[in-house]
Structures are given as structure tokens and as C-alpha cells.
Amino acid sequence: MDRYKENQLKIYNSLSKTKENFKPLTDGYVGMYVCGPTVYSNAHLGNVRTFMFFDVVYRYLLHLGYKVRYVRNITDAGHLENDADEGEDRISKKARLEKIEPMEVVQKYTVDFHNVLKNYNFLPPSIEPTATGHIVEQIEMIKEIIEKGYAYEVNGSVYFDVLEYNKKGNYGILSGRKVEDLIHNTRSLEGQSDKKNPQDFALWKKADERHIMRWPSPWSDGFPGWHLECSVMSTKYLGEQFDIHGGGMDLKFPHHECEIAQSQTCSGKTPVSYWMHTNMLLLNGQKMAKSTGNFILPNEILSGENKVLPKAFLASVVRFFNMQANYRSILDFSGEALEASEKGHSKLMEAVRFLGKIEAGKTSTFDVQKWKNDCYAAMNDDFNTPVLIAHLFEAVKIINLIKEQKASLTETDVSEFKAILNAFVFDILGLMNETAQGNSEKINGVVELLIKLRKEARENKDWALSDQIRDELIELGIQLKDGKEGTTFSLN
């Protein structure tokens, strides 16, 4: 169904710094590229926030009826320890420290990354290319940049000439930085003597004797620059121009700025229509980063084996927590915040469960069509998930009123209400109707048994046992609700 024809999506474009009407280059088709992980360690929750948001973007574009090619790369070579093109390759360093092959490091952390995304209910991208799988293409792009006069070779390494590019191009168009300021603020760093100018960046680096990962090239045995791989892979799979490029805010400069310069040099075209960047995730008020030790791994949240949270939480609760803040806002992760999200998530899922039991009435006391339009309007406004969630809780309120026989919906509205609520909760936000990780059916079965025993106690006028079952379930965070159609329960 081509819902995109009825919904005008607006996207905040980091390039123009404004919200713009989304119009893909080809009607009905969307090309989207998102910078993936460098697989030298476990992805922490801050990394996953970015991928989780773009999973929702992907889901919503599919829901609107677009045919989407979603490319998310794996960086398995070329990412040095700092942005000054110095230091060791992060994967090579990890391999040297652990005394294993670099590809063992890559395999270990790629598998971990995929397991995390599976646990958190991500849709897989259309294509997941690797840097090492595209060495030939990267060498060819470097040749083209040299031929056009925007790169130079020194002692086996090749650098992009930013000042030469800036005579016709605009290095800084995305980040707003000026080359003059970059020159003024650049410190003289040891090992940069090969560069004509400090702000130039590596397209190819000659490997020293200790560098394990190396490939032959016309210039030296070495490895490609980190920025190059994304220009190569996005161009190969999405073309010289495509619709959406996403990543974390920290990639805007220099990574994405360098991508624009490389791609535009080769094609002479503006490579990306809409640049999207997610903001950072804090942990207890401090930036989440492995370098400081202030981080938590996604699977540690599910197991409860961490020093940050009071207990284990469901993956769906974490997704729900992430969607309660705008993707361009800083989000602070803490045990208190996650517990609050857990309560909201529980109320939403309880309402969704009861929705299947709703019987149609003769009239509707709730404007389902207006509510539906409001839900779409929220997502059409730059994927505004916090506003969408507010509308979903309007639905929760109505469902609870229907439970109490204080509201009703016609058969047509019940059908529409179910379809739209399920679409936004499960298909678009990617939440999961789970009451416990891996054993929800068992939990439901135990509670239903206790409800049955309580019912029998009430029928036998054993009020003490009936109250005991109810009160002890409350202590466990399970609230029983007696109604005309029987007793239901919710997790608090």
C-alpha cells in the first residue's frame, strides 16, 4: 500500500539545518546509508541508540510503502586510533594485544553486534558490506581522486588535498567549520610531516612493519583511510546520489565531511539529499564512552549482570525508553529512568493485550480517524517518536475506559483501532509484547492459574485466600483488575 502518497514526511536535514519535505530521487524508492560499527570491541548502548533510531526510520519508510535499500556497513579495517591519521588501526591493535588474527577480532565482535541487534528486535539491512570486501574499489577511487588533482602521494601514503578541493568545493558544508579556522586551530603533531597541510586526510596509509592488516596498492603495501570506505560502498550500492545518510552526531566531522569531499570530487554531484544525525546517550549524567569506563553493554541490561541497574530489563523496555526522547536530543540513561519506562511500557502492552477482547458497540465515543491522523502526523514530523508515544497513550486511556464500560467503538472503528495501534507499536516502533525475557508464556500461565484459584476461593467465600492471592501478586508487581468480562492483570 502506497501510504507515502498520503503522508508528507518532513526530515531535519543536518546539511540545511532545517526540516525539509522528503522527496526521494526516484518516486517510491529510498536509498539509505548508515555508518555501522568498527568491530574491535562490543557495541555499547550509546552506539546502539543510533542504530535503533534508524531501524525505526527503516520500519516507517517500509510501512509507508517505499521500496527501501538500506545499507549499513561494517568497518573491519582502516579506522585508526585518532582522527589525525595517526596511531594503530583499532582492530590490528586489539589483535596484537590478544595475540590473535585481526579477522578473529572482526568475527568475534561482528557476531556480538548481530546478536545484540537480534535481541533488540532489529530488522536486518538490505546490504551489510565490509571495508575489507571493497579494497579494490577503494584503490580505484583513490586513483580517480589523484587523476582529478585533489590528492597526492608522499612516501607510499596518499592524502586528500583539502585546500585544493576548497578552491571549488566547500569543505565544511555539513559541519559549518571553515578551513581557515581549521588551519588556525590545528596543533603541529608529530608524524604529520608527510602532509602538505594538517587538515588533509588519508586516503591510503603505508603500513609500517608492525601493521598486520595490509594490502598491495600502486603506492605501497598499506590500508585505506577510514573515511574512504563509506564513499566507496554508498556509491557502489546506492549510486552517485542517494536519499538519506545517517549516523551519530560525532561522525559529522570529520568523517561525513570527508565523505562529501571524496564523493563530490569523483562524481561532481551532491552525493546525499538528507543528512541525519542522532545525539549522544548519557549514563547517569555523563557521556557514555568506553575510554572513560562509563558505559553499559546492551546484553548486560537483559541479564542484569552490571553495576549500573538494580535489575534486568526487557529489550522492548529499552527500545521504548529510547523512543521517548527525540533522536536529536541528548538522552540520559539511568536505572530510575528505565524503571519509569518499564511502567509505561507495561501499561501500553496491557492495553494492547486487552484490545483483542474488545467487543464492538453501537456507537463510537472516540474519534479513531483523528487519532490515526495524529499518529501519522507525529511520525511525519521528522520521526517524532515522543509525540507518537503520547498519542499511543491516548489509545491506552480509551481502552481502559472501554474496560470500565465508559466508552465504546463501533465494529468498523474497533477493526481500524486494532490495526493502527498494532502497526505503530510493533511494526514501526519495533516493540515486543513480552512479559519476561524468554519465558512470557510461563509467566502468563502461572498468573492465569492464580486468577483461577482466586476465583474458586471467591466462589467458596474464602475471602482471606482471595485477598492473599491478590495482595501477594501486588507485592510482585502484578495488578489484578476485576471486570464484567472476568479478571485481567497488568505488570506495574
Side-chain angles (χ1 to χ4, degrees), residues 208-225:
D208 61 29
E209 293 179 359
R210 66 176 180 170
H211 203 97
I212 310 171
M213 303 179 78
R214 59 174 69 212
W215 292 265
S217 79
W219 314 285
S220 66
D221 280 0
F223 53 94

Side-chain angles (χ1 to χ4, degrees), residues 191-471:
Q192 285 191 328
S193 58
D194 284 350
K195 295 183 181 181
K196 288 183 181 179
N197 304 288
Q199 66 275 5
D200 294 348
F201 57 89
L203 299 175
W204 186 265
K205 289 284 286 182
K206 180 180 180 180
D208 61 29
E209 293 179 359
R210 66 176 180 170
H211 203 97
I212 310 171
M213 303 179 78
R214 59 174 69 212
W215 292 265
S217 79
W219 314 285
S220 66
D221 280 0
F223 53 94
W226 172 42
H227 312 304
L228 188 67
E229 62 174 280
C230 289
S231 286
V232 164
M233 290 186 282
S234 62
T235 300
K236 178 168 182 175
Y237 298 110
L238 298 174
E240 292 178 337
Q241 293 181 295
F242 57 96
D243 300 300
I244 298 172
H245 194 314
M249 194 78 73
D250 58 320
L251 298 181
K252 187 184 290 187
F253 185 87
H255 186 55
H256 290 161
E257 200 75 75
C258 295
E259 277 190 61
I260 293 174
Q262 293 164 158
S263 298
Q264 195 152 329
T265 292
C266 291
S267 69
K269 302 172 184 176
T270 300
V272 179
S273 300
Y274 305 88
W275 285 89
M276 301 181 70
H277 293 92
T278 59
N279 215 322
M280 72 177 70
L281 183 67
L282 304 181
L283 177 57
N284 293 322
Q286 301 295 319
K287 181 180 178 180
M288 192 176 294
K290 292 174 185 172
S291 58
T292 62
N294 189 55
F295 70 93
I296 187 169
L297 301 180
N299 286 338
E300 291 177 341
I301 301 171
L302 308 184
S303 67
E305 296 175 1
N306 61 79
K307 298 178 181 179
V308 177
L309 303 174
K311 62 174 186 175
F313 289 89
L314 301 175
S316 189
V317 171
V318 180
R319 282 191 75 108
F320 183 69
F321 164 79
N322 272 282
M323 299 309 147
Q324 287 181 290
N326 186 282
Y327 75 95
R328 290 186 285 117
S329 301
I330 292 174
L331 179 59
D332 193 3
F333 182 87
S334 67
E336 294 79 7
L338 207 51
E339 286 181 320
S341 291
E342 185 179 50
K343 291 178 181 178
H345 178 271
S346 177
K347 291 176 182 177
L348 178 60
M349 290 305 165
E350 172 61 22
V352 171
R353 281 194 291 269
F354 185 79
L355 187 58
K357 302 177 183 178
I358 286 180
E359 294 184 2
K362 295 180 179 179
T363 60
S364 288
T365 58
F366 177 63
D367 191 338
V368 172
Q369 193 60 44
K370 180 183 181 302
W371 170 79
K372 171 185 172 181
N373 292 339
D374 288 343
C375 289
Y376 278 105
M379 287 300 287
N380 291 337
D381 182 18
D382 193 33
F383 309 96
N384 200 329
T385 54
V387 173
L388 171 63
I389 288 172
H391 292 313
L392 295 182
F393 275 93
E394 291 176 26
V396 172
K397 182 178 178 181
I398 293 303
I399 291 169
N400 289 334
L401 288 173
I402 292 173
K403 274 187 186 181
E404 299 168 6
Q405 297 184 317
K406 296 178 181 178
S408 63
L409 294 174
T410 63
E411 186 174 347
T412 300
D413 279 349
V414 167
S415 177
E416 180 82 338
F417 197 38
K418 287 179 181 177
I420 298 303
L421 185 60
N422 279 296
F424 277 98
V425 171
F426 301 118
D427 298 341
I428 296 168
L429 292 183
L431 302 181
M432 297 166 277
N433 196 351
E434 49 184 355
T435 54
Q437 197 73 28
N439 61 357
S440 58
E441 292 183 4
K442 293 179 182 178
I443 295 291
N444 287 339
V446 170
V447 175
E448 292 293 346
L449 175 60
L450 290 170
I451 289 173
K452 181 180 178 182
L453 293 174
R454 178 171 174 264
K455 182 174 180 290
E456 291 176 356
R458 289 164 68 104
E459 289 172 351
N460 294 330
K461 297 184 179 182
D462 189 348
W463 310 118
L465 178 58
S466 171
D467 291 345
Q468 182 184 357
I469 293 173
R470 179 199 63 200
D471 294 343

Side-chain angles (χ1 to χ4, degrees), residues 142-152 159-165 167 196 265:
I142 295 170
K143 288 180 182 178
E144 185 175 354
I145 295 173
I146 291 173
E147 287 172 6
K148 290 179 181 285
Y150 293 102
Y152 56 91
Y159 298 97
F160 188 92
D161 192 332
V162 171
L163 292 185
E164 187 64 31
Y165 169 79
K167 290 177 181 178
K196 288 183 181 179
T265 292

Side-chain angles (χ1 to χ4, degrees), residues 34-37 41-56 70 72 112-122 248 278-281 288 290 296-299 301-302 315 318-319 322-323 331 333:
V34 174
C35 291
S41 64
N42 304 99
H44 64 61
L45 190 64
N47 308 134
V48 172
R49 182 194 183 190
T50 291
F51 304 129
M52 192 175 288
F53 167 69
F54 284 105
D55 181 62
V56 172
Y70 174 22
R72 187 186 65 218
D112 177 76
F113 177 66
H114 287 154
N115 284 340
V116 167
L117 301 197
K118 182 179 179 181
N119 288 338
Y120 281 84
N121 199 32
F122 281 63
T278 59
N279 215 322
M280 72 177 70
L281 183 67
M288 192 176 294
K290 292 174 185 172
I296 187 169
L297 301 180
N299 286 338
I301 301 171
L302 308 184
V318 180
R319 282 191 75 108
N322 272 282
M323 299 309 147
L331 179 59
F333 182 87

